[in-house]
Amino acid sequence: MIIASNFKTNHNRKSTKEFIEYIDAQNYFSEIRIFPPFTALSSFDLPPNIKVGVQDFYPVQNGSFTGEIGFEQLEEFDVNTVLVGHSERRHILGESQKVIVDKYNYAKQKECEIIYCVGEPKEVREQGIEAVMAYIWEQFDGIDIDYDELIVAYEPVWAIGTGLSASKDDIKEVLEHLRVKVKAPLLYGGSVKVETTQEILSIENCDGVLVGTASWKVENFSKMVEIADNKKEEK
Ligand code: PEP
């Protein structure tokens, strides 16, 4: 199971360090991914199942791209896990599929683990599963789905940061469709809470969760990882 926390524009250097140290001290065995803001990156000394990644990057080693972060800066902190295609970057920051593909290919060339996010807006969801899948497959245009270090996160746009999670059946249906072509681990993201983690992790084809809001309190994120650890033991 993979349990990932996306800090978005939350936490600072001090609170990120405290968060990571708290999680590390629990000795969990699930795969844990933590995506703090760039400013909180540091050389953390962590076991192999805990990785600190970035929410974004500019697809260059270095250069003249005012305000951007390239791989020269990330390599200083041994970052090799990245988010690509998050809905907030697609819809709020206006990233096109071309920009997303450039980032994907650059991260792939750098042999990074990539959590690639896909998901439909509300108006598409209202048209039913065929429209949802057509929309999602378009988000795979130009993306190498056979990349070994790929993890796919299904994150319906209308469920992100809204408190409205997709239903168990809706998640199951989309993951089932994805599984036909995508062999990579599949995560669900969209208003996951401590109370819903157990049920979501029990969905067929669900290999974990990507969590924003509910994960920012370390005690909550810790409980989610504990649920994942317990599930593994059940099997
Ligand atoms: C996310 O940022 O990927 C996310 C799923 O956020 P939230 O849990 O707040 O919906």
Side-chain angles (χ1 to χ4, degrees):
M1 287 282 167
I2 302 164
I3 309 294
S5 171
N6 176 12
F7 283 14
K8 310 192 191 195
T9 320
N10 298 279
H11 282 292
N12 56 23
R13 279 176 70 77
K14 182 171 180 287
S15 64
T16 297
K17 186 170 177 285
E18 285 165 2
F19 187 109
I20 290 171
E21 282 171 0
Y22 182 103
I23 294 298
D24 184 26
Q26 312 305 313
N27 294 315
Y28 291 128
F29 52 81
S30 291
E31 290 295 322
I32 298 170
R33 302 291 180 270
I34 298 167
F35 296 91
F38 287 127
T39 54
L41 290 176
S42 189
S43 297
F44 300 106
D45 183 18
L46 295 166
N49 66 315
I50 307 181
K51 289 188 182 151
V52 175
V54 288
Q55 304 167 23
D56 186 37
F57 56 92
Y58 199 68
V60 291
Q61 183 64 21
N62 52 34
S64 298
F65 304 97
T66 301
E68 296 294 335
I69 300 288
F71 268 72
E72 182 174 299
Q73 292 77 49
L74 300 183
E75 283 164 0
E76 185 178 8
F77 303 111
D78 295 322
V79 168
N80 62 3
T81 299
V82 297
L83 291 182
V84 176
H86 191 280
S87 79
E88 285 155 10
R89 298 220 53 92
R90 290 180 191 266
H91 299 286
I92 302 176
L93 284 308
E95 279 187 10
S96 65
Q97 187 64 17
K98 184 189 173 309
V99 167
I100 289 166
V101 168
D102 284 350
K103 289 185 177 182
Y104 188 93
N105 287 339
Y106 198 86
K108 183 181 148 192
Q109 180 206 313
K110 286 287 182 182
E111 299 179 352
C112 285
E113 176 183 83
I114 302 173
I115 300 190
Y116 185 66
C117 306
V118 295
E120 80 289 356
K122 190 163 176 278
E123 62 275 16
V124 174
R125 165 53 64 186
E126 284 165 357
Q127 293 166 38
I129 185 68
E130 276 185 25
V132 168
M133 291 317 300
Y135 188 93
I136 290 175
W137 290 128
E138 274 188 21
Q139 295 180 315
F140 281 102
D141 275 357
I143 299 295
D144 172 11
I145 56 170
D146 296 319
Y147 177 48
D148 274 351
E149 294 296 319
L150 169 64
I151 296 167
V152 171
Y154 167 54
E155 299 208 301
V157 179
W158 49 271
I160 296 181
T162 59
L164 296 171
S165 175
S167 72
K168 193 178 166 191
D169 288 346
D170 287 344
I171 300 170
K172 183 170 180 282
E173 194 172 34
V174 171
L175 296 187
E176 230 165 62
H177 279 88
L178 285 172
R179 180 54 80 224
V180 175
K181 295 191 200 166
V182 180
K183 302 297 163 243
L186 300 176
L187 312 185
Y188 168 74
S191 296
V192 176
K193 300 182 183 73
V194 174
E195 309 80 60
T196 56
T197 302
Q198 172 88 18
E199 186 181 43
I200 291 169
L201 293 181
S202 305
I203 297 173
E204 225 181 305
N205 293 311
C206 183
D207 301 302
V209 286
L210 172 56
V211 193
T213 318
S215 70
W216 300 335
K217 252 183 104 176
V218 71
E219 294 82 3
N220 286 347
F221 185 63
S222 188
K223 279 185 201 147
M224 291 175 179
V225 183
E226 199 177 312
I227 291 167
D229 266 20
N230 290 340
K231 282 211 76 59
K232 203 163 179 184
E233 273 168 2
E234 273 169 27
K235 285 186 181 167

